[in-house]
Amino acid sequence: MTDRFTYLDAASAEPLHPAAREVLLAAAEQGYADPRRLHRPARSAGLLLANAREVVAEALGVRRDEVLFTSSGTAAVHAGLLGLGSRGIGHSAVEHQAVIDAARWSQRSPVTELAVDGEARVEGAAVREAVRAGDVDVVAVQQANHEVGTLQPLDEVASAAGPASLFVDAGAAMGRLPLPSVGDAIAGSARKWGGPGGVGVLVVRRAARWRWPFPGDEWSRTDQGFTNIPGALAAAAALQAVVAERDEVNARQHELVALVRERVRTEIPDVDVAGPAEDRLPHLVTFSALYVDGEALVTALDRIGAGVASGSACTSDTREPSRVLAAMGALTHGNVRLSLTRDTTREDVERVLDALPGIVKDLRAEAGL
Amino acid sequence: MSAPIVTLDCRGQACPRPIIELGRHLGDVEVGEVIAVAADDVAAHHDVPAWARMRGQEFVGEVEAEDGVPVYRIRRLS
């Protein structure tokens, strides 16, 4: 048993960035009022919100009036996707659950799944095929996959989508990578970049044919409900910091993930490392160990002080295996995803890598292999 | 499609049990022969072909048993 805990689940939620912490506290004291009112605290809150919007816009390289804050990344996805098009939806087979849920809920027809290759990459031909008949008028493809890290060929997707609108879920990538140059609406989630939970960002490009898809007045069209102003400001501060340090952090993380890929492949027999070695998110890696129960693997890692996620059926609420792993033909059981935080060290990673072969071997022995 | 020499009954077993059984019993058939596993676990649909790819065996296909449970067939290549 160790006192140290190595948190390797940044792709679910990155710990609050130090740049966000002070801002969150200060803004919580000053940004409580309803910015629509005409008194001084309201003006103060309004200024903080305008500031948050400006910082996010600058960090993403877009205009201020293209930035909306939502109550979560999921809410940004829902509003972004459902605000585009009116007929059918084509989405990649490896989209986040929030996209799948929104497409199903929309009752639009048809809802078409776009095939991916063995590295979870969307094929332009699948997009072209989906929009060819003209009844799919919005295409949803993520910037990068949240489970295996694959970067999607968005330029190719946009060109294949033709006149259809393009929705991009940038949840896994926003802040870490430059905003895609294509996409009519692009959604992100602050807790994935070290902002607080419960803050989403939706970028709606000015030329987009997008409208607010939910009930509400003029105000709720620019911000869903009453914006979490301290949260938005802290999210903005974290985003600004992450963008400023990403060259250094990404290079370090890319190298550590390469180390994980290499050592897992060579030191653990019968392991399937999913996703491409290059053209991927810098901070996450996923692999599956044959004959191993995913839940047992996550629990064993927790016991040695390492926190990871899993896409295996036994670890999910629905008892269904990861749709991403299934779509790319990867092994779905015995799966773990390691995702590095901005201050994960080589020592942290090596400690887990040193323990993994023994853990897998023991679990296989327990299973009678 | 060749008839399986051995069919493992993994009904009611959760992942990764059907794949573990497959791994343990592959040696029950000769090289070139077919082994099958009946499994209602949803992960088996993805994991039997993935297992075959990783272990260098041939995934032959999926048929349905009389009770509707999928039966996956694998030809032993090595």
Side-chain angles (χ1 to χ4, degrees), chain A residues 210-231:
Chain A
W210 180 90
R211 76 276 166 210
W212 180 251
F214 303 124
D217 55 15
E218 182 60 30
W219 175 256
S220 70
R221 235 171 274 145
T222 50
D223 282 294
Q224 191 178 23
F226 190 97
T227 300
N228 173 358
I229 292 174

Side-chain angles (χ1 to χ4, degrees), chain B residues 1 3 7 12 14 18 23 27 37 39-40 44 46 52 54 58 68 70 74 76-77:
Chain B
M1 190 153 73
T7 298
V37 55
D40 44 16
H46 312 289
M54 290 172 71
E58 181 194 349
I74 297 96
R76 183 177 167 196
L77 297 183

Side-chain angles (χ1 to χ4, degrees), chain A residues 300-342:
Chain A
L301 284 168
D302 182 58
R303 214 174 292 130
I304 65 146
V308 304
S310 170
S312 294
C314 47
T315 67
S316 82
D317 301 338
T318 56
R319 316 302 287 181
E320 296 267 336
S322 152
R323 194 175 344 88
V324 174
L325 297 175
M328 61 197 290
L331 191 69
T332 74
H333 72 246
N335 174 258
V336 291
R337 179 189 68 183
L338 272 49
S339 50
L340 316 182
T341 69
R342 57 187 283 282

Side-chain angles (χ1 to χ4, degrees), chain A residues 128-182:
Chain A
R128 248 186 308 279
E129 174 66 25
V131 299
R132 201 160 48 103
D135 45 4
V136 163
D137 63 355
V138 51
V139 168
V141 176
Q142 61 202 179
Q143 183 177 6
N145 187 267
H146 50 293
E147 286 185 43
V148 301
T150 307
L151 304 187
Q152 299 295 352
L154 286 176
D155 289 335
E156 183 189 335
V157 167
S159 132
S165 295
L166 177 61
F167 170 71
V168 178
D169 171 16
M174 193 173 276
R176 300 173 189 278
L177 303 175
L179 197 75
S181 58
V182 296

